């Protein structure tokens, strides 16, 4: 099971658009896809009209659910595409990580994904990360087998890419991020 984090510290570069479209394309080609919304803005969750009362990534990371994947995924209504929604509580994880230790969140996400892999539930997992280095994005990057960095062609976006690549190297030297240019115009 491939686990791809879609991340950039810069906002507005197309992370969610990339995640939602890549998930739909993979599902349209017969792959079983789980899209994890790790951004508290929950744009991917809203795109698929996830129930605000459904279990969320926060519930998984906080240990409020058992790692039974069937109980935590939202059925999007699209064949082969499920969602683990986000909520605004993801913001509180950063403060909690200081007292609990961020590795607990990594373990809980890894445990859930291992159960899914053992059950052969999905071919691909895509994680839409927030535009910052948060407890959720650290957990996502720590469990990822691949990283896609969507970016614009400008100096601010370039700085975000360089910073993220440095943080990824600190987390896992085996990850080799792919850069995806998402927005260009003739002057770039």
């Amino acid at each position: 099971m491939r686990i791809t984090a879609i991340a950039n510290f810069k906002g507005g570069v197309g992370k969610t658009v990339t995640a939602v479209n890549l998930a739909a394309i993979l599902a349209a080609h017969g792959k079983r896809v789980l899209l994890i919304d790790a951004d508290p803005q929950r744009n991917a969750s809203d795109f698929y009209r996830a129930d605000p009362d459904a279990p969320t990534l926060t519930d998984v990371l906080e240990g409020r659910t058992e790692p039974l994947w069937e109980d935590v995924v939202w059925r999007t209504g699209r064949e082969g595409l499920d969602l683990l929604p986000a909520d605004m509580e993801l913001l509180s994880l950063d403060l909690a990580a200081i007292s609990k230790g961020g590795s607990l969140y990594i373990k809980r996400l890894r445990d859930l994904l291992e159960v899914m892999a053992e059950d052969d539930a999905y071919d691909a997992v895509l994680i839409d990360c927030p535009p910052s280095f948060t407890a959720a994005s650290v957990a996502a990057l720590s469990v990822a087998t691949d990283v896609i960095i969507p970016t614009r062609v400008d100096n601010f976006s370039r700085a975000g890419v360089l910073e993220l690549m440095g943080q990824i190297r600190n987390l896992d030297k085996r990850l080799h991020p792919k850069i995806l240019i998402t927005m260009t115009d003739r002057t770039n």
Side-chain angles (χ1 to χ4, degrees), residues 3-101:
I3 304 167
T4 304
I6 301 168
N8 190 331
F9 289 157
K10 175 85 172 79
V13 296
K15 290 180 299 298
T16 300
V17 169
T18 299
V20 166
N21 283 296
L22 184 56
I25 290 166
L26 289 169
H29 283 87
K31 300 295 183 188
R32 296 164 299 150
V33 181
L34 174 65
L35 174 59
I36 299 176
D37 190 350
D39 189 340
Q41 293 180 51
R42 59 174 277 128
N43 292 329
S45 301
D46 289 341
F47 181 84
Y48 283 111
R49 295 183 174 101
D51 181 348
D53 296 323
T56 66
L57 178 59
T58 305
D59 294 322
V60 170
L61 297 179
E62 283 289 316
R64 296 190 291 241
T65 62
E66 291 298 316
L68 299 173
W69 65 269
E70 298 95 339
D71 296 335
V72 297
V73 298
W74 172 258
R75 308 292 181 203
T76 65
R78 224 174 229 249
E79 182 75 28
L81 177 55
D82 294 336
L83 172 76
L84 178 53
D87 62 9
M88 289 299 286
E89 283 188 67
L90 281 169
L91 295 171
S92 66
L93 293 182
D94 297 329
L95 294 174
I98 295 168
S99 62
K100 293 181 182 177

